[in-house]
Amino acid sequence: MKKIQTLLLTLCLLMAGIEFSSCSSDTVNTDTWGSGVAAMFQNMKGNYSCYLDMPDNTRKSLNIAISDVTKNSYGTAVQVVDFPIDVILSKLYPNDYQYVSSVNVDTYESPIDSVGASSSAFLLFKTNNDYTENLNFSFVRDGVSHQGWAKVSVQGVYTYTNNNMTFYFSVNDLVLDDQDKSNLTPILFQAEGTKTSSTK
């Protein structure tokens, strides 16, 4: 947890001096940002092979895409098909979250709201919570079915020189069986990885 807090603090410090530019219609204004930043933004799009450290100290592989091909056609979005719902379950059931079954979770998708560059090597982005759908999930625990949803936002730091990305996830709202679990939020975690292929 201390590692995550340190890295999130580092991200905040990086972003503190960055002026973000809105990505309406998924276009970066090259008159304002210059062709270099526009090229970085295009190059950032792709599929990333990532890993994250889970609450039980295991390491989980995770595939994350930054793609223009989205279900809601709102431009470029961050997409996670196999969202690591264990991170949320570990807050709901800290002692035995591994024993839930029949876990089902929606594909996570959130549009990129704005980007900023701290140098010619780093591009930072954040997602738009206003257009991010709730992440619905369900599971069975002790023979009882449960349903819930979470509101998740993402910030990221893309390293242009080696195509590496660090994704910082924040669960800001959490509801289980129609009961507000906001006292457990924010739930923070990160995933790190390298781009493996480009997307359209």
Side-chain angles (χ1 to χ4, degrees), residues 101-125:
S101 62
S102 303
V103 178
N104 185 48
V105 60
D106 286 353
T107 295
Y108 172 79
E109 182 172 288
S110 183
I112 291 178
D113 175 62
S114 52
V115 296
S118 61
S119 71
S120 60
F122 298 98
L123 189 69
L124 296 82
F125 74 83

Side-chain angles (χ1 to χ4, degrees), residues 71 80-83 104-108 133-137:
K71 62 183 179 182
V80 185
V81 174
D82 186 18
F83 189 87
N104 185 48
V105 60
D106 286 353
T107 295
Y108 172 79
E133 295 180 357
N134 294 340
L135 180 71
N136 297 303
F137 60 90

